[in-house]
């Protein structure tokens, strides 16, 4: 069966085994409110067998994430994936559970965004940022703020490019979702 998501999962698993620094990451692109394409690195999560990203709702990107493009580049395999995705919110309880696994500094940052300083907003200095972080009134026990959010990624197009072919001619395939399974087209790489 044609299963590009299974292939992506297997490729990412192999990349993790090879200690690939990109195995857990993606580059996520969207169209900003001003019409410019924007990209940033995010952790690409496997949440209950679905792809997901976690963001903070105070970031300007938050309202622009209904349609996104993703690049996953796995240098240890010489493989690139490009995905076009629609998105769907991750249930709050699941976000809250995963949030507990985060290290302290990003947890504190999520509360700073929520209580004082939206993500990606300018601030007078790094010193000021550290002061405000240190004087933040954090809830006890430390729980996820409402601004901690997650989006499932629902791929509509998947493009896989494999640079690792023995004869040097790259292998490129585009996958589209269909019923009962995905369809596959070979592309000129
Ligand atoms: C390795 C790496 C992983 C990152 N993971 C995340 C993430 O999971 N969620 C997130 O919101 N930002 C993450 N960031 C930070 C984003 O790249 C970006 O700087 C931040 O989200 C603010 O971007 P914005 O102005 O587009 O909102 C990560 C950055 C790096 C370098």
């Amino acid at each position: 069966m044609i299963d590009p998501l299974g292939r992506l999962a297997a490729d990412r698993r192999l990349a993790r085994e090879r200690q690939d620094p990109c195995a857990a990451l993606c580059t996520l692109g969207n169209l900003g409110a001003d019409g410019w394409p924007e990209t940033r690195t995010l952790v690409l999560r496997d949440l209950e067998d679905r792809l997901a990203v976690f963001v903070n709702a105070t970031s300007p990107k938050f309202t622009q994430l209904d349609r996104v493009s993703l690049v996953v580049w796995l240098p240890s395999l010489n493989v690139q994936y490009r995905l076009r995705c629609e998105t769907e919110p991750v249930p709050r309880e699941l976000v809250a559970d995963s949030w507990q696994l985060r290290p302290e500094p990003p947890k504190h940052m999520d509360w700073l965004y929520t209580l004082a300083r939206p993500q990606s907003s300018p601030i007078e200095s790094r010193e000021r940022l550290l002061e405000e972080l240190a004087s933040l009134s954090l809830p006890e026990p430390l729980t996820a703020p409402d601004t901690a959010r997650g989006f499932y990624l629902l791929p509509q197009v998947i493009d896989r490019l494999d640079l690792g072919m023995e004869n040097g001619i790259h292998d490129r395939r585009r996958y589209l979702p269909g019923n009962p399974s995905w369809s596959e087209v070979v592309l000129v790489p």
Side-chain angles (χ1 to χ4, degrees), residues 62-73:
F62 183 74
T63 56
Q64 307 290 329
L65 296 181
D66 48 334
R67 287 169 148 198
V68 296
S69 288
L70 222 70
V71 174
V72 178
W73 160 236

Side-chain angles (χ1 to χ4, degrees), residues 27-180:
T27 303
L28 181 126
N30 67 323
L31 214 52
D34 58 4
W36 281 83
E38 300 174 346
T39 54
R40 79 280 296 156
T41 310
L42 297 183
V43 174
L44 179 58
R45 299 171 192 266
D46 299 292
L47 211 56
E48 301 192 320
D49 279 342
R50 300 174 73 182
L51 296 172
V53 289
F54 285 175
V55 295
N56 191 278
T58 66
S59 160
K61 69 177 168 303
F62 183 74
T63 56
Q64 307 290 329
L65 296 181
D66 48 334
R67 287 169 148 198
V68 296
S69 288
L70 222 70
V71 174
V72 178
W73 160 236
L74 302 171
S76 64
L77 277 68
N78 257 333
V79 167
Q80 167 187 266
Y81 282 85
R82 293 193 294 168
L83 296 84
R84 266 193 198 175
C85 301
E86 292 176 356
T87 62
E88 188 182 292
V90 173
R92 291 290 173 81
E93 318 79 69
L94 262 183
V95 176
D97 289 349
S98 297
W99 191 87
Q100 289 300 341
L101 304 174
R102 305 191 79 187
E104 291 288 297
K107 281 183 174 171
H108 292 190
M109 283 305 301
D110 266 340
W111 276 103
L112 182 90
Y113 302 147
T114 310
L115 299 174
R117 300 278 184 171
Q119 186 178 28
S120 305
S121 61
I123 188 164
E124 294 83 325
S125 63
R126 180 165 172 82
E127 290 69 29
R128 183 64 194 259
L129 169 70
L130 297 178
E131 275 165 25
E132 290 194 16
L133 257 178
S135 62
L136 209 57
S137 309
L138 294 167
E140 274 188 46
L142 196 54
T143 49
D146 178 53
T147 61
R149 304 289 178 89
F151 287 104
Y152 289 119
L153 301 166
L154 312 172
Q156 305 302 306
V157 185
I158 299 180
D159 178 329
R160 183 180 188 276
L161 175 68
D162 190 337
L163 309 185
M165 312 312 289
E166 274 188 11
N167 64 2
I169 306 302
H170 304 159
D171 183 76
R172 183 169 169 208
R173 287 151 201 264
R174 182 170 62 209
Y175 300 90
L176 298 174
N179 211 343

